[in-house]
Amino acid sequence: MTPDKPAQGSADGTLARTVRWGFYPAALAVTVSYIVAEAAGWFGRIGSAYPWYLAVLILTMLALEQLIPMRRDWGMTRPLFFVRDLPMLVVNGTAIVLATRVVTAFSGAVTIPSWALTEWPWPLQALVALALADLAWYGIHRHCHEGKGWLGRWMWHTHAHHHFPEQVYVFMHAAGHPIQAAYVRMLLLLPAISLGLSPEAAFAAAVFNGFQGLVSHFNVDARAGWFNRFFIGTELHRFHHSADVLEGKNYAAVFSVWDQLFGTYRLPGIAPVALGVKDRQTYPADSAWCQLLSLPFRR
């Protein structure tokens, strides 16, 4: 099997063909429909059905990764899950909770500006908040990869953990340093506070951002087609994880328009030859947790 001939299941069957072109638009439609239903109060208190939505999405993606993986060697294994992914879920989840509490504690002192979006329809509020947060993330993310000097090195060391894996799958999304997990969480919360978003808009922005994060790390040949010109789908983010630095662009998380505007949009094929970082041997192993966590504080 060559990198540009991804695994499609047995004889490139009906399931593989359907998922290849149908998964992303279908998952996108389901996610938007779910957000609208929550905003309309169909499930009672907003967000009450989110665990069910998330469980169905993740279980579906895990099942497809087992049935028709993009590449078997990019898939999740039991050692990877217990040695790397599960600890990262716990550590980064804790960092996210703490960051949320810090931002929430100070949010009461924030004066909503006169140009806040409180009177706008909630879908438009959510769209503006997502676009601004994603533009900020684009700048931060690009500096993590391309920044120079001590700040650039420090930011790379808070981000490099996410690029160490030579695999890409749903739970690999959790791979990362808790410092970055914390400041990314703060970045995503700031628009909701500073723009005076309604609960519906804040919820919609958070759910859509999470959806994009999950589908971006998906070990299945799921293609977005013309949606790539609007959103960062599986194909674009897979190339971001390429071991070839010339391919490893696509810095936005939600809207690919930022990469198109600033010249970092890359979609040279179906999949990169290899994932990870070329100098992986110079960094601590996945199981060396103390060394990994101390990486941003080491020269």
Side-chain angles (χ1 to χ4, degrees):
M1 180 179 64
T2 59
D4 59 344
K5 294 279 189 178
Q8 307 294 342
S10 59
D12 194 18
T14 303
L15 177 62
R17 292 194 300 271
T18 302
V19 169
R20 185 181 309 148
W21 297 109
F23 174 83
Y24 184 79
L28 182 66
V30 167
T31 298
V32 172
S33 299
Y34 163 70
I35 290 172
V36 171
E38 283 277 17
W42 289 11
F43 308 113
R45 183 172 56 86
I46 192 166
S48 58
Y50 182 69
W52 293 102
Y53 156 80
L54 193 62
V56 170
L57 178 62
I58 291 177
L59 290 175
T60 300
M61 294 174 73
L62 289 174
L64 291 174
E65 285 186 335
Q66 293 299 311
L67 291 170
I68 48 171
M70 180 82 181
R71 283 179 52 175
R72 290 285 177 189
D73 57 325
W74 287 356
M76 182 177 66
T77 64
R78 187 181 298 271
L80 284 176
F81 178 75
F82 285 103
V83 172
R84 183 181 67 199
D85 303 334
L86 185 58
M88 286 182 180
L89 280 168
V90 174
V91 172
N92 289 337
T94 302
I96 289 171
V97 169
L98 293 175
T100 302
R101 290 184 176 180
V102 169
V103 174
T104 303
F106 286 96
S107 62
V110 176
T111 302
I112 303 299
S114 58
W115 42 263
L117 311 182
T118 50
E119 301 302 321
W120 292 22
W122 71 260
L124 193 54
Q125 291 183 37
L127 180 61
V128 171
L130 269 172
L132 292 177
D134 199 45
L135 176 59
W137 167 244
Y138 174 90
I140 291 173
H141 194 187
R142 185 170 182 176
H143 199 76
C144 285
H145 284 268
E146 300 180 9
K148 306 298 182 183
W150 70 266
L151 180 60
R153 288 193 300 272
W154 182 84
M155 292 183 69
W156 167 245
H157 286 157
T158 68
H159 182 63
H161 206 163
H162 186 62
H163 285 271
F164 290 161
E166 297 175 346
Q167 308 81 26
V168 61
Y169 51 85
V170 174
F171 282 143
M172 202 286 290
H173 176 55
H177 198 282
I179 289 179
Q180 184 168 79
Y183 69 67
V184 169
R185 179 61 173 173
M186 292 180 179
L187 173 68
L188 296 177
L189 288 174
L190 285 177
I193 297 171
S194 60
L195 298 177
L197 298 187
S198 66
E200 294 84 0
F203 178 78
V207 171
F208 198 84
N209 187 79
F211 164 74
Q212 285 293 123
L214 284 173
V215 298
S216 294
H217 303 85
F218 190 28
N219 185 28
V220 168
D221 184 17
R223 307 184 193 181
W226 64 271
F227 281 108
N228 284 315
R229 285 295 176 179
F230 301 94
F231 302 114
I232 296 289
T234 309
E235 300 158 278
L236 292 175
H237 196 72
R238 187 182 290 125
F239 274 103
H240 175 68
H241 281 270
S242 174
D244 183 346
V245 295
L246 296 179
E247 293 179 342
K249 305 297 183 180
N250 301 326
Y251 296 122
V254 178
F255 298 111
S256 62
V257 64
W258 303 127
D259 287 286
Q260 295 173 65
L261 284 174
F262 299 117
T264 52
Y265 182 90
R266 299 288 187 277
L267 188 56
I270 298 173
V273 174
L275 304 174
V277 293
K278 284 188 175 181
D279 53 348
R280 179 66 182 92
Q281 68 279 1
T282 65
Y283 293 100
D286 287 334
S287 57
W289 268 91
C290 289
Q291 296 179 51
L292 287 170
L293 291 176
S294 65
L295 191 59
F297 310 103
R298 298 165 61 189
R299 295 188 61 180

